[in-house]
């Protein structure tokens, strides 16, 4: 039977396994390992917002702030009401020393979800 999964021999099932393994690596504080697993998943499924959000988190954890910003932005283009993505993008801007950009996204996160953590970051009273 011919291989129809592409030149890498990866299958949708393998991508799911890689996604789950990347979650575990990120939880084990290996963000670079997580990114390596997620790159082929996203190459095969660029529309997969969950994979992009996980890769954004991994980039952030690895202090790769420009790639993190790009991924969080892509997630927000697709899901503008994703409070966590706004919060995480705000943290990215905060780490880069861009307080006005950070404030905007902290406030959007808090407006979308009254999570006490988001409210504190937005400097709204809880």
């Amino acid at each position: 039977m011919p291989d129809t999964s592409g030149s890498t021999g990866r299958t949708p099932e393998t991508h799911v396994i890689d996604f789950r393994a990347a979650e575990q690596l990120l939880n084990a504080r290996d963000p670079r390992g997580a990114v390596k697993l997620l790159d082929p998943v996203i190459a095969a499924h660029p529309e997969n917002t969950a994979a992009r959000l996980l890769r954004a988190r991994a980039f952030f954890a690895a202090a790769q702030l420009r790639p993190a910003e790009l991924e969080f932005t892509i997630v927000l283009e697709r899901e503008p009401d994703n409070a966590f993505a706004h919060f995480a993008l705000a943290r990215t801007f905060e780490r880069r020393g861009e307080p006005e950009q950070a404030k905007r996204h902290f406030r959007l996160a808090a407006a979308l979800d009254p999570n006490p953590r988001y409210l504190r970051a937005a400097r709204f009273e809880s």
Side-chain angles (χ1 to χ4, degrees), residues 5 19 26 30 32 36 38 60 74 82 85 88 92 96 126:
S5 61
F19 177 86
L26 187 56
D30 182 4
R32 293 180 195 281
K36 285 179 186 175
L38 290 166
F60 181 84
I74 290 170
N82 187 320
T92 304
R96 284 210 341 235
S126 51

Side-chain angles (χ1 to χ4, degrees), residues 36-101:
K36 285 179 186 175
L37 283 177
L38 290 166
D39 285 345
V41 174
I42 292 170
H45 306 281
E47 74 291 346
N48 188 313
T49 303
R52 287 191 175 276
L53 186 58
L54 186 60
R55 186 164 71 171
R57 291 176 50 220
F59 280 137
F60 181 84
Q64 295 178 343
L65 301 180
R66 293 278 182 206
E69 176 190 353
L70 175 64
E71 291 296 337
F72 286 129
T73 300
I74 290 170
V75 169
L76 287 169
E77 286 170 359
R78 296 173 184 178
E79 297 179 1
D81 60 345
N82 187 320
F84 175 79
H86 280 289
F87 179 77
L89 181 57
R91 287 276 185 233
T92 304
F93 285 130
E94 188 176 61
R95 281 179 76 180
R96 284 210 341 235
E98 298 180 43
E100 288 306 309
Q101 286 283 69

Side-chain angles (χ1 to χ4, degrees), residues 83 109-119 126:
L112 290 165
D113 180 354
N115 177 316
R117 188 168 146 205
Y118 300 168
L119 292 170
S126 51

